[in-house]
Amino acid sequence: MKFVAVTACPTGIAHTYMAAEALEQAARDRGDELSVETQGAAGSDPLSEQDIAAADAVILAADVGVGERDRFTGKPVVEASVKQAVDSAASLLERAAAAEPMRVGSGSGGPSSDPATKVTANASAAVRLRQWLMTGVSYVIPFVAAGGLLIALSFALGGYQITEAPDVTERFDPASLTSWAALANQIGTAAFEFLVPVLAGFIAFAMAERPALVPGFVGGAAAVAVGAGFLGGLIAGLLAGGVVAGLRRIKVPSAVAGIMPVVVLPLFGSMVVGTLMFVVLGKPIAAAMTALTDWLNGLSGANAMLLGAVLGGMIAFDLGGPVNKVAYTFAVGGLTTGSETALEIMAAVMAAGMVPPLAMALAATVHARSFSAAERESSRPAWLLGASFITEGAIPFAASDPLRVIPSMILGSASAGALSMFFGATLRAPHGGLFVLPLVGDPLLYVVAILAGVVVAASVVIAAKTFVGRGATSKEQAPETEGAVAA
Amino acid sequence: MSSELITTELVDLDLPDTDRRAAIRSLADRLVNAERVTDIERFLDDVETREQQMATGMRGGIGIPHCRSAAVTAPSLAFGRSSTGIDFGSEDGPANLIFLIAAPEGGDSDHMAVLASLARRLMRGEFKRTLLDANDPAVVASYVREEVKP
């Protein structure tokens, strides 16, 4: 492969050149070609246009701003500190090599400048927070796509009751289509179990590198265990990254230093993050879920449209997290009664759940420039995931820009829920999306309700991304947690 | 005063067992005696400022305190070796090879190129091994001079 790199450090007399040397050596070892521009005190030998044009990926190892960055527009860029290049040039090249296929794969989506990992050492807190989230999201997207499409396939082949099929380890008949559908469903579900841990793990990885992977994954798994959903995963990832970054600052005797990244940091990081997630976050979430359920039960006699809007908003709030679960369980619980209201509630909840992925797919298609290349990539599977009532398809969008995406989705899902109630659409299946449309009472108006919600959510998210200061450029948009974590 | 990057007086193959600041000061004294640094306190301040931005210890037992300073008259390297090691903030342990790199504030790029080529040598295993095995300050100085020739 061919790489170009720029190195730059504050004084411009040592690390700039050490990083260049380390990268050149690592490239030689891999049998790759690499040209380096050292932006240091000795003046720089600029990269030639031919080198840049021929490069498969760009490596920026810099603690100060890199001059003339726009030369690299359209190339996959991997950013790191000069120290990272000096200490682990080989893994930096690995990252750059991995960034390459994304450009090739972007197809009609235009050139992609989004690498697998992109964290700038000297960026503002808000920019770094977004880069951390984007790193986590970029690793989650393939899980969402693979798992979600398998689940959608299982609904298409086996109907909505496929989730009730026995474990394929107990019964699997190669001649039966239902068996294959059950298999697809169970593999897809297995892939979905990774969503939150992978999100948390790679957010932590972006913040504090390899030693933070384990605390991040473990924190994410703990978030799943306490039912905290993807928002809990975001918290776990940021916590893990912050804790490990903090632990790394502690000076240790040289005898221990060698085992710090492999043993000590993962061990203590996991203990701290796991404890916080289970003990501090677990109980309040359980209590809040109980309170929300009680509150919903009290609402039963309320205005139908209002109930639909509340349930819809809850479905979109955390995309499979605790609030979403309360609303969904409330709807499914009513199905056993078979009453007309219960069937209307089920229809409203499914309509609301289909809106987020569809709306994000629509927004990323009609207004591509508001979305990163990774998000545009995930918009294609999102169409099918939304149509199949797999709300998790919107997680990549929500996790990379929660403050603008989640409120938009809540508005859209609430509209869909309210309209579905207003039209009196009914549904007796607990899931299945468009595949159970034949089971919907008043399917035409039902589709209208969903489309209306999709249009509302997509319009609001585009407006929010256009007019509410973009995270990459504005400093005041970052959530409050960021200060504590970055400190 | 020699215009070379490093001379025999700027090599200390047996740094006393001490901490980072004391080690830097002892090497800086050599730069003052060689008339390459005019104001030691100012120079040490500048080195420490750089050190605070990010520790200069690197993997493999190397510390490279450095700065550009108005107190420096010529690009210079003072080299110290410590058998027990001195903590320069690297994760994998203390540094045995300490390179105090002094650059003048407005150095021309020919002079800076010497420092650049020194920095590149620091990443080469053979350069480190030679310095770890050397017994004679004069040999060390001439070896480094030879290596950093443009």
Side-chain angles (χ1 to χ4, degrees):
Chain A
M1 293 180 76
K2 287 187 178 181
F3 300 110
V4 290
V6 177
T7 60
C9 67
T11 36
I13 61 178
H15 284 88
T16 300
Y17 301 97
M18 288 155 60
E21 181 73 23
L23 286 169
E24 286 172 4
Q25 286 180 11
R28 259 201 306 280
D29 291 345
R30 288 171 52 97
D32 290 333
E33 284 181 46
L34 176 110
S35 318
V36 188
E37 174 177 315
T38 48
Q39 296 186 351
S44 61
D45 226 350
L47 292 165
S48 73
E49 274 176 38
Q50 295 93 310
D51 282 343
I52 297 174
D56 295 306
V58 180
I59 299 166
L60 304 180
D63 292 343
V64 291
V66 169
E68 299 177 63
R69 285 183 64 133
D70 44 3
R71 288 177 288 174
F72 308 122
T73 306
K75 295 277 176 188
V77 176
V78 174
E79 299 193 37
S81 67
V82 278
K83 200 175 174 80
Q84 281 172 310
V86 170
D87 283 346
S88 44
S91 73
L92 200 53
L93 281 173
E94 236 166 74
R95 269 166 57 191
E100 197 262 350
M102 294 188 67
R103 178 173 65 105
V104 175
S106 65
S108 60
S112 152
S113 57
D114 277 344
T117 316
K118 42 173 233 171
V119 177
T120 335
N122 57 331
S124 76
V127 172
R128 278 193 301 176
L129 179 69
R130 187 169 155 83
Q131 289 174 334
W132 296 333
L133 297 181
M134 280 309 300
T135 301
V137 166
S138 69
Y139 285 94
V140 163
I141 287 171
F143 285 87
V144 175
L149 295 178
L150 277 168
I151 294 174
L153 178 72
S154 77
F155 286 137
L157 295 180
Y160 73 89
Q161 278 146 328
I162 200 65
T163 51
E164 308 298 326
D167 278 352
V168 284
T169 46
E170 283 166 28
R171 199 169 71 211
F172 182 73
D173 173 8
S176 145
L177 190 62
T178 316
S179 269
W180 286 103
L183 181 63
N185 189 280
Q186 286 161 33
I187 299 174
T189 308
F192 261 32
E193 309 259 319
F194 283 98
L195 294 192
V196 175
V198 166
L199 179 67
F202 282 97
I203 289 174
F205 172 73
M207 292 173 71
E209 296 174 57
R210 203 170 292 237
L213 260 182
V214 173
F217 268 88
V218 171
V224 174
V226 302
F230 93 97
L231 290 176
L234 289 187
I235 294 173
L238 293 170
L239 259 179
V243 165
V244 172
L247 287 175
R248 289 175 78 160
R249 288 173 184 231
I250 298 172
K251 302 255 171 194
V252 292
S254 55
V256 190
I259 60 163
M260 281 297 278
V262 195
V263 180
V264 181
L265 293 174
L267 173 66
F268 283 97
S270 302
M271 277 168 52
V272 172
V273 176
T275 307
L276 288 173
M277 293 303 294
F278 276 117
V279 179
V280 182
L281 204 63
K283 257 226 166 90
I285 286 181
M289 284 177 76
T290 313
L292 266 177
T293 307
D294 291 346
W295 178 68
L296 274 184
N297 286 328
L299 273 184
S300 299
N303 174 297
M305 275 185 78
L306 180 67
L307 184 61
V310 167
L311 287 170
M314 287 173 69
I315 287 289
F317 180 78
D318 52 3
L319 309 172
V323 177
N324 167 293
K325 275 217 172 62
V326 167
Y328 182 71
T329 313
F330 177 78
V332 175
L335 278 185
T336 48
T337 70
S339 76
E340 187 72 8
T341 324
L343 300 186
E344 285 180 14
I345 287 174
M346 189 64 240
V349 162
M350 189 169 89
M354 292 168 70
V355 165
L358 290 175
M360 292 305 121
L362 178 65
T365 305
V366 302
H367 211 260
R369 63 189 169 85
S370 288
F371 293 84
S372 73
E375 287 174 309
R376 290 198 298 273
E377 287 297 310
S378 61
S379 72
R380 275 168 237 172
W383 287 109
L384 187 56
L385 300 189
S388 311
F389 181 36
I390 299 170
T391 317
E392 285 86 345
I395 286 182
F397 300 93
S400 50
D401 190 10
L403 291 186
R404 269 165 295 183
V405 169
I406 293 178
S408 318
M409 295 189 312
I410 290 177
L411 283 176
S413 290
S415 314
L419 277 175
S420 171
M421 292 297 274
F422 176 72
F423 294 144
T426 57
L427 173 66
R428 34 185 86 248
H431 38 68
L434 288 186
F435 296 110
V436 294
L437 202 57
L439 303 179
V440 171
D442 231 335
L444 216 63
L445 285 174
Y446 189 60
V447 171
V448 170
I450 294 171
L451 290 182
V454 168
V455 171
V456 167
S459 319
V460 175
V461 83
I462 290 172
K465 281 185 183 275
T466 311
F467 300 115
V468 186
R470 227 167 132 64
T473 49
S474 102
K475 284 182 182 162
E476 67 278 4
Q477 277 301 317
E480 284 152 355
T481 52
E482 145 230 337
V485 175
Chain B
M1 191 198 91
S2 163
S3 68
E4 296 285 2
L5 178 71
I6 185 169
T7 57
T8 310
E9 315 76 84
L10 297 180
V11 177
D12 184 349
L13 292 181
D14 197 13
L15 274 179
D17 192 6
T18 169
D19 69 351
R20 170 169 62 83
R21 285 164 193 266
I24 294 175
R25 180 177 283 275
S26 116
L27 288 172
D29 276 336
R30 290 175 180 263
L31 292 173
V32 173
N33 293 336
E35 293 174 21
R36 289 158 180 268
V37 165
T38 51
D39 178 346
I40 187 163
E41 295 308 327
R42 182 161 177 193
F43 175 69
L44 290 174
D45 270 357
D46 290 338
V47 171
E48 192 54 32
T49 305
R50 170 62 190 79
E51 206 67 28
Q52 291 303 330
Q53 283 175 1
M54 186 182 65
T56 61
M58 4 174 317
R59 256 173 234 273
I62 290 189
I64 45 158
H66 63 277
C67 70
R68 299 177 79 166
S69 170
V72 176
T73 56
S76 303
L77 167 68
F79 169 67
R81 195 171 70 190
S82 156
S83 49
T84 47
I86 294 166
D87 182 18
F88 270 81
S90 176
E91 274 177 24
D92 72 339
N96 300 106
L97 302 179
I98 291 116
F99 300 85
L100 177 60
I101 304 173
E105 195 61 78
D108 65 55
S109 66
D110 276 358
H111 281 140
M112 293 302 187
V114 173
L115 293 181
S117 98
L118 168 69
R120 283 174 170 274
R121 291 301 178 286
L122 297 179
M123 300 306 297
R124 298 195 185 161
E126 197 200 330
F127 186 77
K128 283 190 264 183
R129 272 192 300 280
T130 307
L131 295 182
L132 277 173
D133 295 342
N135 300 317
D136 181 354
V139 171
V140 167
S142 71
Y143 172 72
V144 173
R145 280 202 301 270
E146 205 50 44
E147 282 287 310
V148 300
K149 265 201 182 134

